[in-house]
């Protein structure tokens, strides 16, 4: 390993993504100074921290991991353990980016960017730089009146399905739970939104909240959609 190299880790639950990024880092690592060397990979933050004790300077962290862990908690754990964090994400949930950045991540690299850009961002984050970008700006845009409802991952999944138009029975099938469980999720979701002053008494209200929280993409006004059809 080259002296002075940036030592990087990757946390992602998609094996093909990790292998592909590993190969690309090894291929393009010497195209900058210092070189970037991938030394550790894991599918969860907990196993990454508890595993091989070789210290990494920077970690590329996926936002949605199969263990259901929250982006905010994952980022905070890594920062507390002494790692600098580069969000490595598809970028389709601004709230997840906000949570990661609020807990210490200092850059965002989208998975559809050229891998050379990701390698360069790993190098820059490791050096202590906060990387400005359109994605970063969007993720940290302040809204002083907005209050998070703090939905659990399962509640967020339920909301995204139910607000899209699925019936309770269909949501239950998709989530592999009982219909009564889905109803409890929906009731709890409404309670949480009510508690933070963002009531969602109707299904249309729930759809609005899902869009506001980045769980669903923005929906064109009906008039616009008719003109486009």
């Amino acid at each position: 390993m080259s002296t002075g190299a940036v030592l990087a880790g990757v946390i992602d639950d998609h094996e093909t993504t990790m292998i592909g990024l590993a190969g690309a880092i090894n291929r393009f690592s010497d195209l900058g100074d210092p070189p970037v060397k991938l030394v550790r990979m894991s599918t969860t933050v907990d196993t990454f921290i508890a595993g091989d004790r070789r210290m990494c300077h920077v970690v590329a962290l996926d936002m949605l991991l199969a263990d259901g862990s929250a982006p905010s908690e994952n980022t905070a754990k890594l920062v507390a353990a002494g790692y600098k964090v580069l969000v490595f994400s598809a970028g389709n949930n601004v709230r997840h980016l906000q949570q990661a950045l609020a807990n210490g991540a200092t850059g965002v690299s989208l998975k559809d960017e050229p891998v050379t850009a990701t390698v360069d961002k790993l190098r820059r984050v490791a050096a202590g730089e906060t990387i400005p970008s359109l994605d970063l700006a969007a993720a940290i845009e302040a809204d002083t009146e907005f209050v998070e409802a703090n939905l659990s991952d399962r509640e967020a999944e339920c909301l995204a399905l139910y607000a899209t138009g699925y019936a309770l029975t269909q949501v239950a099938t998709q989530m592999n739970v009982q219909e009564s469980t889905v109803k409890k999720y929906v009731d709890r979701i409404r309670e949480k939104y009510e508690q933070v002053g963002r009531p969602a008494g109707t299904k249309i209200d729930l759809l609005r909240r899902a869009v506001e929280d980045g769980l669903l993409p923005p929906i064109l006004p009906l008039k616009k959609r008719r003109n486009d059809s």
Side-chain angles (χ1 to χ4, degrees), residues 127-161:
E129 183 177 346
T130 297
I131 301 174
S133 69
L134 292 176
D135 309 294
L136 187 60
I140 63 176
E141 183 179 4
D143 181 349
T144 56
E145 296 183 357
F146 185 93
V147 181
E148 286 276 11
N150 288 320
L151 303 182
S152 70
D153 288 344
R154 291 294 271 174
E155 289 167 350
E157 180 184 2
C158 175
L159 174 58
L161 291 168

Side-chain angles (χ1 to χ4, degrees), residues 155 183-193:
E155 289 167 350
K183 189 178 186 308
K184 289 179 183 177
Y185 281 147
V186 173
D187 289 344
R188 195 155 58 225
I189 289 166
R190 285 196 165 111
E191 288 175 5
K192 286 187 174 183
Y193 278 121

Side-chain angles (χ1 to χ4, degrees), residues 26 41 69 94 135 137 160 181 193 219-220:
N26 291 334
M41 296 188 293
S69 52
V94 172
D135 309 294
T181 300
Y193 278 121
I219 298 174
L220 293 174

